[in-house]
Amino acid sequence: MSTIEKLEQRLIEMEKEITRLKDIEAIKSLKGKYLRCLDSKLWDTIGECFCEDVTTSYSDGKLSFTGKEEVVNFFRTCMPPEHITMHQCHTPEIEFESDTLAFAYWYLGDNLILLDRNMGIRGGAFYRESYEKVNGEWKIKTIGYKRTFEERWDRNDPKSAKITYNMHSKE
């Protein structure tokens, strides 16, 4: 192989690497948009994050929905303005199956204040998601999480805090 051919090959490889890095950043940005819309209750906008045939498996599969409209309606119903939420995800592990299909794990920390019930909830979980590149744009294809822990308390009685779920518990 000549020097020019080697340089051309290296250029092709670098272009692929740059595309992959841009895809990783696009998926991170998509997750950021999803979380911002979730906590801001931007239900019309959050739908832009999903494939039309998205499926969910929230809370270890207890909350499963199919299709963008059904998922958005779930959020609209279960997260009224009286529920103040903060969802934070970090440390993504993103892998690609192809140029148009990717998977990721994200660590979730969430805090909720349910004003209508005067209840607080705090938890941790691991999101597992798949993404599909549709018309050049990454969308969430499947999304769900498994809790590592959940804690709830009556906000009038902070001593009432109790762990309601622990993935390491033998019970």
Side-chain angles (χ1 to χ4, degrees):
M1 186 179 285
S2 73
T3 303
I4 291 179
E5 290 172 327
K6 287 179 184 176
L7 288 173
E8 287 174 343
Q9 183 60 36
R10 181 64 187 134
L11 182 59
I12 291 168
E13 290 171 12
M14 288 175 63
E15 287 175 338
K16 287 180 182 178
E17 288 177 30
I18 289 169
T19 298
R20 183 56 41 96
L21 292 171
K22 289 171 83 174
D23 286 340
I24 289 170
E25 289 304 312
I27 289 170
K28 288 179 182 178
S29 182
L30 174 64
K31 185 66 173 180
K33 179 178 180 177
Y34 166 81
L35 295 169
R36 176 180 56 81
C37 290
L38 192 62
D39 291 338
S40 300
K41 302 180 187 334
L42 301 173
W43 308 134
D44 294 333
T45 306
I46 202 169
E48 297 170 6
C49 298
F50 302 119
C51 290
E52 290 297 326
D53 61 347
V54 64
T55 59
T56 72
S57 181
Y58 296 114
S59 292
D60 300 334
K62 294 176 193 136
L63 302 169
S64 297
F65 304 96
T66 301
K68 184 190 316 191
E69 187 175 326
E70 190 172 313
V71 173
V72 172
N73 285 336
F74 161 69
F75 289 138
R76 198 181 308 273
T77 303
C78 84
M79 294 179 65
E82 300 80 24
H83 293 186
I84 302 166
T85 60
M86 180 179 71
H87 295 83
Q88 297 180 325
C89 285
H90 51 84
T91 57
E93 300 172 56
I94 301 171
E95 297 179 13
F96 291 83
E97 186 172 298
S98 70
D99 291 340
T100 59
L101 188 59
F103 299 90
Y105 286 102
W106 296 84
Y107 199 97
L108 166 68
D110 57 344
N111 291 286
L112 296 83
I113 300 171
L114 310 182
L115 296 174
D116 55 344
R117 297 184 224 166
N118 207 25
M119 181 191 318
I121 302 172
R122 179 177 62 166
F126 289 105
Y127 266 103
R128 170 72 170 140
E129 299 175 355
S130 68
Y131 310 92
E132 185 175 12
K133 200 172 200 179
V134 179
N135 298 322
E137 190 175 349
W138 287 100
K139 302 284 185 178
I140 299 169
K141 179 86 170 160
T142 63
I143 184 170
Y145 60 78
K146 289 186 180 276
R147 280 276 189 211
T148 55
F149 79 95
E150 183 176 280
E151 178 179 48
R152 295 174 180 245
W153 64 93
D154 179 336
R155 296 183 70 235
N156 288 323
D157 180 14
K159 292 179 181 178
S160 70
K162 64 180 176 181
I163 295 174
T164 57
Y165 180 81
N166 176 353
M167 73 184 288
H168 303 291
S169 174
K170 302 209 187 304
E171 296 175 13

